[in-house]
Amino acid sequence: MQIDKRIIPLAIGGLGIGTTEFTIMGLLPDVAKSLHITIPEAGHLISAYAFGVVVGAPLLIGYSVKHPPKKVLIALMIIFTLFNALSAIAPDYGTMMVIRFLSGLPHGAFFGVGTVVATRMAAKGKEAFNISLMFTGLTIANLAMVPLVTYIGHEFHWRWYFAIVAVIGLFTLLFLKLWLPAMDANQDTHFKKEIKFLQRKQTWFVLAITAIGFGGLFTWFSYITPLMTVVSGISQSNMAYVMILAGAGMVVGNLVGGYLSDRLSPEKTCIILLALMMTALLGVFLFSEYQNISLVLTFICGTLSMSVAPPINIMMMKAAPNSEMMAAAFMQAAFNIANAMGAFLGGIPLDQGFSYNYASLVGVFMTLIGLMISIRYFYKYSSQKSLEENVMM
């Protein structure tokens, strides 16, 4: 199957975003030691970045809806590259917190605009698969770049990781300029019109599923390094291989999620994946002390962590048919609320002295709530739609 090269610039951008977002999770002990803080405090840098995504996604999309998507994506990547470069030289914890917040601002808007661009370039019925291709960069980041940069950061210095991300940002800018087609801006829209989708209850169901249900996995992934080294007994020097294993799962999960969403309905796919996610997190809590089982669960959790992205994005675009770009940006905000909540709530039992596997127990309950909301969404909206279609036939 030949991949449309127009998607490649979006995938490279996803590679840079995935590298900056997830590498820090493998370097938390190194960052904490260098900045003279605790590991849970270092975890707040994850939350700061995620908060930047939450704030930046709607604001930057609201400003850019009337501008051509290609120019918007280039501007967002300039901001991303600049602040990741500054992260490499931040002198202390407070400064790093501020810069990580600023680094997160363009993240959601980039994927928000990119999601709409990807669907416009897709053949009919292949929209979810095209979105999964865009997110392939994010999954390859976890398969290759995150382990590599984790190794470099641990063996040399964690600041190298931000410098590498800045270089990826420069390559993204180049390929956006060369390969992304120019598209007309929507001159008939404005911020107030774009934001109207928030008046629909269906929208809030999807955002809640994402922020709460998906947040469960971030209780696991935010503290994967101390979990694997302290509880599972894997040496710090082997963590790069563990991250490769998680990344391989993400590559598989991303493509499987897109495929299932196009074959089943996105709503059914979401329910199935959240149920599996809850079961996997319970397995992490119960069996992480067994090294081989822990490694298998790492691959499974990695698979599930990305498989939900295509179906949940399609669900949001269905809920906001006239505000796709803003809705996609809010989805990225919701994913990063999940990131922030997972890191914060997962850190609570750790601050109380419990073992690192207890973070995933918090994730079980978060995912259960997301599953319940997802089932309610299915019966309230999808079943109702099916009934209406049968009546019309």
Side-chain angles (χ1 to χ4, degrees), residues 179-198:
W179 287 352
L180 194 72
M183 294 182 178
D184 293 333
N186 186 357
Q187 297 296 335
D188 296 328
T189 191
H190 52 79
F191 183 79
K192 289 184 178 179
K193 184 178 179 180
E194 285 281 319
I195 211 76
K196 280 187 176 180
F197 78 98
L198 292 176

Side-chain angles (χ1 to χ4, degrees), residues 99-123:
I99 295 178
R100 292 314 291 156
F101 168 79
L102 295 173
S103 299
L105 292 176
H107 173 136
F110 184 90
F111 278 128
V113 178
T115 297
V116 174
V117 170
T119 55
R120 287 185 187 179
M121 294 189 296

Side-chain angles (χ1 to χ4, degrees), residues 344-384:
F344 177 77
L345 295 177
I348 291 176
L350 310 185
D351 283 331
Q352 300 301 315
F354 287 91
S355 177
Y356 287 103
N357 60 314
Y358 274 80
S360 294
L361 182 60
V362 176
V364 171
F365 289 104
M366 293 179 68
T367 309
L368 174 61
I369 295 171
L371 176 61
M372 293 170 64
I373 298 171
S374 187
I375 293 171
R376 173 61 177 160
Y377 175 93
F378 176 77
Y379 283 106
K380 185 175 179 63
Y381 296 105
S382 299
S383 298
Q384 179 181 348

Side-chain angles (χ1 to χ4, degrees), residues 111-188:
F111 278 128
V113 178
T115 297
V116 174
V117 170
T119 55
R120 287 185 187 179
M121 294 189 296
K124 187 173 178 59
K126 298 293 184 180
E127 291 85 359
F129 186 71
N130 235 32
I131 291 174
S132 72
L133 287 178
M134 180 185 70
F135 281 107
T136 296
L138 199 65
T139 59
I140 291 175
N142 284 283
L143 175 63
M145 290 305 298
V146 170
L148 174 62
V149 178
T150 298
Y151 174 80
I152 292 172
H154 179 66
E155 291 297 321
F156 299 97
H157 200 287
W158 57 267
R159 293 183 185 276
W160 278 104
Y161 121 63
F162 293 113
I164 292 170
V165 171
V167 172
I168 297 173
L170 292 175
F171 276 102
T172 304
L173 287 168
L174 174 63
F175 285 101
L176 284 171
K177 181 70 175 177
L178 293 176
W179 287 352
L180 194 72
M183 294 182 178
D184 293 333
N186 186 357
Q187 297 296 335
D188 296 328

